[in-house]
Amino acid sequence: MNTNDSAATSYTTLRVDAVHEIEIKRSRFITYLYRVQTEAEARAHIAALRKTHFDARHHCSAFILGPERMTQRSNDDGEPSGTAGLPMLEALAKRDTGSGTDLSDILAVTVRYFGGIKLGAGGLVRAYSDSVSQALAHASLCTVQRLRIFELSADHGWAARWENELRSAGYQLGDTHWGDAHAVLSIGINDEPAATEELHTFIATLTSGAGLLRAGHTTWLDS
């Protein structure tokens, strides 16, 4: 699916990768969090951790991908079915980020070093869920917003003033392209109808109706 065609226009993800460790009844649970965009990228991280922690008993994992979170996978890696990967996935999927449960493009891998004391099915579910939840609590998150890029042509004499007015109003501006006849301002806004209408109204006022906006491509940016 093309993420630029997604019904979702924003989601939450990791700002930077993170790692956090807890110990339960002598077993070590080391959770790694990675920002990923594809299944191949997620599986490459899992394979790398298998090599790094070659002496660990389990390398359980869960990941969610895409703005609409359509791809969700989990793996118990030898733990009793449903006691590791699924609790990890639920910890990711149900995490309240402050913007709702919208966490995506994220992989969690929990490496377990067995401490000699069995935890039981319920204990394993709590341990793997808590390991991911605590790792998320220590992680730095950010919002990813889909922007629609608009172009505005301006006479050279007006371009600098229009740029300043747009920045003062809180709009995101890209590089201005200076041609022989005129300059072209690049303006990024949230890809939502209300934001588009607001921009058109602002430009009409700013340019006394003379400015014409042209809608261009979309892009995803951290905010």
Side-chain angles (χ1 to χ4, degrees), residues 184-197:
V184 178
L185 282 60
S186 177
I187 309 163
I189 63 169
N190 294 346
D191 190 22
E192 299 169 348
T196 298
E197 183 178 351

Side-chain angles (χ1 to χ4, degrees), residues 8 27 169:
S27 282

Side-chain angles (χ1 to χ4, degrees), residues 30-222:
I30 309 170
T31 295
Y32 292 84
L33 299 177
Y34 297 100
R35 182 171 176 173
V36 294
Q37 292 187 312
T38 66
E39 289 198 41
E41 190 178 355
R43 298 192 189 286
H45 281 299
I46 297 168
L49 285 177
R50 288 186 186 279
K51 293 181 180 180
T52 301
H53 294 279
F54 62 89
D55 53 343
R57 178 168 292 190
H58 304 284
H59 307 79
C60 305
S61 59
F63 58 85
I64 302 175
L65 301 177
E68 295 181 285
R69 312 203 301 170
M70 296 295 290
T71 301
Q72 301 190 12
R73 304 281 187 269
S74 64
N75 191 306
D76 293 313
D77 194 40
E79 294 283 26
S81 179
T83 64
L86 185 57
M88 292 172 65
L89 182 60
E90 290 182 344
L92 294 176
K94 296 180 179 180
R95 184 73 179 185
D96 187 347
T97 66
S99 299
T101 51
D102 65 339
L103 192 62
S104 193
D105 282 359
I106 185 169
L107 161 70
V109 183
T110 298
V111 177
R112 182 189 180 193
Y113 285 91
F114 182 56
I117 301 175
K118 292 185 178 181
L119 302 182
L124 286 173
V125 169
R126 288 189 295 274
Y128 280 101
S129 177
D130 287 348
S131 67
V132 173
S133 294
Q134 291 190 34
L136 287 170
H138 287 82
S140 177
L141 304 179
C142 67
T143 298
V144 185
Q145 185 75 43
R146 188 173 72 202
L147 300 183
R148 173 71 62 178
I149 307 302
F150 284 83
E151 292 184 344
L152 173 65
S153 295
D155 291 339
H156 290 168
W158 291 104
R161 186 177 75 82
W162 289 359
E163 278 186 335
N164 290 334
E165 293 287 348
L166 284 160
R167 286 197 175 91
S168 296
Y171 288 101
Q172 299 187 50
L173 270 68
D175 294 335
T176 296
H177 298 282
W178 297 88
D180 293 335
H182 56 263
V184 178
L185 282 60
S186 177
I187 309 163
I189 63 169
N190 294 346
D191 190 22
E192 299 169 348
T196 298
E197 183 178 351
E198 181 181 315
L199 176 63
H200 278 279
T201 300
F202 183 87
I203 294 301
T205 302
L206 175 65
T207 67
S208 299
L212 295 178
L213 284 170
R214 184 178 65 180
H217 66 283
T218 59
T219 187
W220 291 88
L221 290 179
D222 293 359

